[in-house]
Amino acid sequence: MERWARVVHRRMFHWLADNEALEGVEGRAQSPILPLCLNDKYTWRKLFDRDPRFVALSDKLATKAWIEAEGFDIDNPRTLWAGRRAKDIPRDLLSRPGHLKANNASGRNIALGPDAPPPDEILAKARGFLKKGYGRGAGQWGYYKVPRRIFIEEDLSFCGPALDIKCYVYGGKVLWLAVLGPAPDAERAGDVYTMGPNGPELTKRQFKPQYPLLGYPLPSVTGRALTLAAEIGGRFDHMRVDFLTDGENLWMGELTVYPRAGIQLGFGTDPAHPAALAWDLRQSWFMQTPQRGWREAYRRALGRSLDAATSAAEAHG
């Protein structure tokens, strides 16, 4: 099975090795068949956990619909327009504050308004969004079948600088979160918090090496975000649940199946890290759903191995 994974999905394994090498981790023996660290668990999710919901949650527009259909007590940012052709975008929206986004990818967005690029340039970029798929190099299969669309979302910075709250949820429990905001000399700035006995505790860790520390106090809506993140993320074995806030109001952001495309900076290769230990694959769709053929035999064998590992850990206290 290990050979099958490495031959059929060799591009994904090369991607992971190359990205780990950028962090100074070279030659690590990846173990996606019996995964222990976060990076290998993300690879396992890509290889085996074909949860049908992952396709919808890889689609920014479908995620909004899922949040509404599931009845979570959180508003989505308003979608002002959505379509399949750049030429159909209402021209007046290009000059108003908002964000033009691709629904099937990460990082493909354009800030609209008075300081936006010229309309022809915006339309050219939008056409480029629609031509490109996303995620194949890293094996993010949830993106593959997302119908390509572009949409314009309302701007939420009218009440103050818009902040992102990113909650990392494992089995319904938030272990850590990041708060990102504007920075004068960088793309973004961010603070990282771990969950302590009395709530979030600020760390000195950078969310990304290129992001300076934010230095903002936690938004007043953080408690509500944590409660919602645990509720939403509790539907999965692991999920990053993102919110947007102006400091007082809270909106839904995205649900991220493969944070950073499936690699965790800093501690992704550490099998003893609390996040790696908290991610229980037995709660995944694959492990909860009978499979066919060799996949079912593997599912049962992996379940026995995970049960034995849990029993051994509990015995050692």
Side-chain angles (χ1 to χ4, degrees):
M1 188 179 300
E2 183 90 23
R3 179 176 175 80
W4 162 82
R6 293 185 180 280
V7 170
V8 176
H9 300 278
R10 57 185 177 277
R11 184 179 179 187
M12 178 173 59
F13 283 92
H14 288 318
W15 174 89
L16 179 57
D18 290 346
N19 278 271
E20 287 185 348
L22 295 176
E23 287 196 80
V25 178
E26 297 191 44
R28 181 180 73 88
Q30 301 169 16
S31 180
I33 305 304
L34 184 58
L36 298 175
C37 67
L38 285 175
N39 287 359
D40 286 345
K41 288 186 176 184
Y42 282 125
T43 300
W44 180 90
R45 172 175 272 191
K46 296 171 185 177
L47 288 171
F48 298 106
D49 195 19
R50 298 302 175 105
D51 189 329
R53 296 173 296 180
F54 287 174
V55 176
L57 300 185
S58 299
D59 180 337
K60 290 180 172 62
L61 290 171
T63 298
K64 291 173 183 267
W66 186 82
I67 290 292
E68 292 177 1
E70 294 297 315
F72 296 113
D73 186 21
I74 181 73
D75 290 331
N76 288 304
R78 288 185 302 133
T79 299
L80 306 179
W81 175 86
R84 301 181 185 278
R85 302 188 303 178
K87 67 180 183 179
D88 293 335
I89 299 174
R91 294 303 185 270
D92 63 304
L93 291 181
L94 298 181
S95 58
R96 290 163 47 186
H99 298 272
L100 174 63
K101 300 182 177 183
N103 73 313
N104 69 320
S106 176
R108 294 181 188 170
N109 58 75
I110 304 170
L112 304 177
D115 298 326
D120 288 347
E121 184 177 332
I122 294 174
L123 295 179
K125 288 183 177 180
R127 288 192 292 270
F129 290 168
L130 291 166
K131 289 179 180 179
K132 297 177 183 177
Y134 186 80
R136 289 198 175 272
Q140 301 173 82
W141 67 266
Y143 288 105
Y144 299 171
K145 295 183 180 181
V146 174
R148 298 178 192 177
R149 301 177 72 190
I150 48 177
F151 66 103
I152 295 178
E153 193 171 78
E154 69 173 326
D155 180 60
L156 298 175
S157 61
F158 48 84
C159 295
L163 302 176
D164 296 278
I165 303 176
K166 300 180 180 293
C167 302
Y168 289 74
V169 188
Y170 303 84
K173 183 179 180 180
V174 180
L175 255 64
W176 64 285
L177 65 148
V179 179
L180 309 182
D185 300 316
E187 177 187 352
R188 298 284 274 170
D191 288 333
V192 175
Y193 297 79
T194 57
M195 293 302 297
N198 299 313
E201 298 178 350
L202 181 63
T203 72
K204 295 182 179 180
R205 184 162 64 87
Q206 291 176 275
F207 183 69
K208 289 184 179 181
Q210 65 269 34
Y211 285 13
L213 298 179
L214 182 62
Y216 282 19
L218 275 173
S220 61
V221 295
T222 301
R224 183 177 173 225
L226 292 172
T227 299
L228 279 165
E231 181 183 356
I232 297 169
R235 303 287 185 91
F236 308 89
D237 53 323
H238 166 50
M239 187 64 62
R240 196 185 81 193
V241 184
D242 298 352
F243 301 96
L244 300 168
T245 180
D246 59 8
E248 297 181 2
N249 301 292
L250 191 69
W251 294 272
M252 192 67 218
E254 301 174 9
L255 299 184
T256 305
V257 178
Y258 319 102
R260 290 200 183 98
I263 185 171
Q264 176 57 58
L265 302 180
F267 51 86
T269 60
D270 180 6
H273 191 275
L277 297 173
W279 186 352
D280 188 349
L281 299 182
R282 292 173 298 181
Q283 299 177 10
S284 67
W285 174 88
F286 179 85
M287 295 301 293
Q288 295 287 325
T289 306
Q291 306 293 317
R292 294 182 177 180
W294 65 266
R295 291 179 182 269
E296 175 61 12
Y298 168 64
R299 183 182 76 90
R300 291 173 180 268
L302 179 59
R304 291 192 295 270
S305 295
L306 295 175
D307 288 343
T310 299
S311 297
E314 291 174 348
H316 286 85

